[in-house]
């Protein structure tokens, strides 16, 4: 069944399709009233290079242990930003944010070929949005410091962080409500279509008594054309039907004691070949008839 046939069925069964479509629409509208809007905010953190060149340190004596250099300075802010992005989106970091009162479903993005990190947060309340943004930005700054602590950078010799956008602008979003309504409405329309098509198929199916009648009619209608035999059912010679049959019978041949012919017997519309039985031959006990003479004798016995 294609789409056009489904539309024809829906129009034909409008008393079923219209209520089904209304139920699907009302369900989608009710879902929109039940769901609560979301609150969103975005923050931006920039990783900045060191302000002091580590090579400007005074050289140590040859006998002293060489100072280990900070390898993150060779990777630069881009490598540090990628490492921090992985760290603050790990399950342990999300658990810390949730324990602080925020939501664990935040996203941290990284701009290609730069040390720019963006934080996107969506929460049911504005308070949770603010707590999540503050906690994640604090985790980013802490992660940058901890990764360079073992190399004992001097003042201004390490990669730092700078908060460009604190995420104070919380906005209300209803996009997830619209998306859920569209999904519920689409599923409701599919279920309504299936219901209407199923109802149409059940309504077209004949009942058990109707099927029995059709089966008996098909069995009785087989072999309705055949040869009819007249004479087995006795016909009253004085009836008009017997006179009509006598008129339709062809003349019998000489020497044949039976007369055959074609006749229309029965009700109107039943046509067949009829066999009419003539008078029975004379019995053996009866005297034979006198022979015919020619010319016949005149009245009074004169020859």
């Amino acid at each position: 069944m294609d789409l056009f046939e489904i539309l024809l069925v829906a129009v034909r069964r409008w008393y079923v399709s219209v209520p089904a479509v209304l139920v699907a629409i009302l369900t989608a509208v009710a879902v929109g009233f039940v769901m609560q809007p979301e609150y969103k905010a975005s923050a931006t953190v920039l990783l900045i290079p060191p302000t002091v060149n580590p090579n400007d340190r005074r050289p140590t004596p040859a006998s002293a242990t060489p100072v280990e250099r900070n390898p993150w300075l060779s990777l630069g802010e881009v490598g540090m930003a990628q490492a921090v992005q992985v760290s603050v989106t790990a399950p342990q970091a999300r658990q810390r944010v949730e324990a602080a009162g925020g939501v664990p479903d935040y996203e941290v993005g990284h701009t290609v070929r730069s040390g720019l990190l963006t934080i996107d947060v969506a929460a049911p309340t504005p308070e949770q949005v603010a707590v999540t943004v503050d906690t994640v930005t604090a985790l980013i700054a802490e992660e940058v410091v901890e990764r360079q602590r073992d190399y004992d950078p001097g003042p201004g010799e390490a990669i730092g962080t700078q908060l460009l956008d604190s995420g104070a602008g919380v906005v209300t979003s209803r996009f997830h409500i619209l998306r859920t309504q569209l999904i519920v409405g689409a599923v409701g329309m599919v279920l309504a279509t299936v219901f209407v098509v199923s109802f149409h198929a059940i309504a077209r199916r004949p009942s058990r008594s109707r099927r029995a009648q059709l089966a008996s009619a098909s069995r009785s209608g087989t072999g309705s054309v055949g040869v009819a035999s007249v004479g087995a059912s006795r016909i009253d010679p004085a009836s008009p039907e017997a006179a009509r049959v006598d008129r339709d019978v062809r003349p019998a041949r000489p020497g044949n004691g039976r007369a055959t012919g074609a006749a229309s017997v029965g009700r109107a519309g039943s046509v067949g070949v009829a066999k009419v039985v003539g008078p029975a031959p004379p019995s053996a006990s009866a005297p034979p008839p006198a022979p015919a003479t020619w010319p016949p004798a005149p009245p009074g016995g004169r020859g």
Side-chain angles (χ1 to χ4, degrees), residues 85-99:
Q85 180 188 14
V86 175
S87 300
V88 297
T89 55
Q92 296 81 2
R94 295 183 184 275
Q95 291 176 1
R96 290 181 58 182
V97 174
E98 188 175 8

Side-chain angles (χ1 to χ4, degrees), residues 56-82:
D56 294 341
R57 283 187 177 185
R58 288 180 300 175
T60 58
S63 59
T65 304
V67 178
E68 186 178 3
R69 299 298 180 183
N70 186 1
W72 291 104
L73 298 181
S74 301
L75 295 175
E77 299 80 20
V78 177
M80 178 65 77
Q82 293 175 350

